[in-house]
């Protein structure tokens, strides 16, 4: 799941500004405001979801909901590529899906708590390697796959598919 979640984000984030500015016509200033708002909500949502998962102690239910949010959000941008959809989803929906990353690592830490120190470290290192591999593979794969396309919106379709896979 960590590789797939990294693939979803890695397939879209490098092309966020290209899609917003070139494909949808958002101004440079509008894009800056959008990214600022998305960053603020991502921090607020990430912290809130972390606290909620610690209280509930059932990260799977939260992961299911956030995976569906990612599928709906990325799918909405892919299916309805307009400035209002892009802005709302980027600011209000995708940050929920981005929180999946920290919950997956928290779940891994909980699962490896009974392991010896070196074993737990080895598992966590492997998980980080999978996340890094997704960030190496997906931006390049999307670039090659969509090089001849009129826009980069296909990356959001791939991200929606990844989120559905996590669900």
């Amino acid at each position: 799941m960590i590789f797939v979640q990294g693939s979803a984000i890695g397939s879209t984030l490098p092309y966020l500004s290209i899609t917003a500015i070139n494909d949808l016509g958002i101004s440079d200033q509008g894009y800056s405001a959008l990214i600022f708002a998305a960053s603020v909500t991502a921090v607020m949502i990430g912290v809130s979801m972390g606290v909620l998962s610690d209280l509930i102690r059932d990260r799977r239910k939260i992961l299911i909901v956030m995976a569906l949010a990612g599928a709906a959000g990325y799918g909405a941008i892919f299916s309805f590529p307009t400035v209002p959809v892009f802005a709302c989803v980027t600011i209000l929906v995708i940050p929920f899906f981005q929180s999946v990353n920290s919950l997956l690592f928290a779940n891994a830490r909980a699962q490896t708590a009974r392991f010896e120190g070196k074993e737990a470290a080895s598992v966590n290192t492997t998980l980080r390697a999978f996340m890094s591999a997704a960030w190496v593979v997906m931006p390049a794969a999307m670039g090659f796959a969509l090089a001849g396309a009129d826009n980069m919106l296909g990356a959001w379709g791939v991200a929606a598919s990844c989120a559905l896979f996590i669900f």
Side-chain angles (χ1 to χ4, degrees):
M1 279 198 294
I2 286 175
F3 179 82
V4 175
Q5 199 263 348
S7 293
I9 296 172
S11 66
T12 57
L13 200 56
Y15 303 109
L16 193 67
S17 62
I18 292 169
T19 301
I21 296 168
N22 294 350
D23 299 336
L24 299 177
I26 296 175
S27 70
D28 292 347
Q29 295 82 4
Y31 178 72
S32 295
L34 179 123
I35 292 305
F36 176 75
S39 297
V40 169
T41 58
V43 169
M44 291 173 23
I45 289 168
V47 169
S48 298
M49 291 297 100
V51 169
L52 181 63
S53 76
D54 288 345
L55 291 173
I56 293 175
R57 299 235 184 251
D58 186 359
R59 291 182 180 91
R60 290 179 189 237
K61 289 180 183 175
I62 296 171
L63 289 169
I64 288 169
V65 171
M66 288 196 277
L68 283 175
Y74 288 124
I77 291 172
F78 177 71
S79 301
F80 309 105
T82 63
V83 172
V85 169
F86 186 87
C88 288
V89 167
T90 301
I91 293 169
L92 299 173
V93 180
I94 291 177
F96 281 98
F97 181 70
Q98 291 171 334
S99 295
V100 167
N101 184 28
S102 60
L103 292 178
L104 289 173
F105 277 102
N107 192 44
R109 279 192 303 279
Q111 295 297 320
T112 59
R114 59 180 154 59
F115 293 2
E116 294 293 323
K118 287 185 179 184
E119 278 183 307
S122 178
V123 169
N124 286 317
T125 299
T126 302
L127 295 177
R128 284 187 196 95
F130 274 104
M131 176 61 75
S132 298
W135 274 88
V136 170
V137 170
M138 290 310 291
M142 288 296 94
F144 284 124
L146 300 173
D150 292 337
N151 57 53
M152 295 302 291
L153 290 169
W156 274 261
V158 169
S161 298
C162 289
L164 275 176
F165 180 81
I166 291 171
F167 168 73

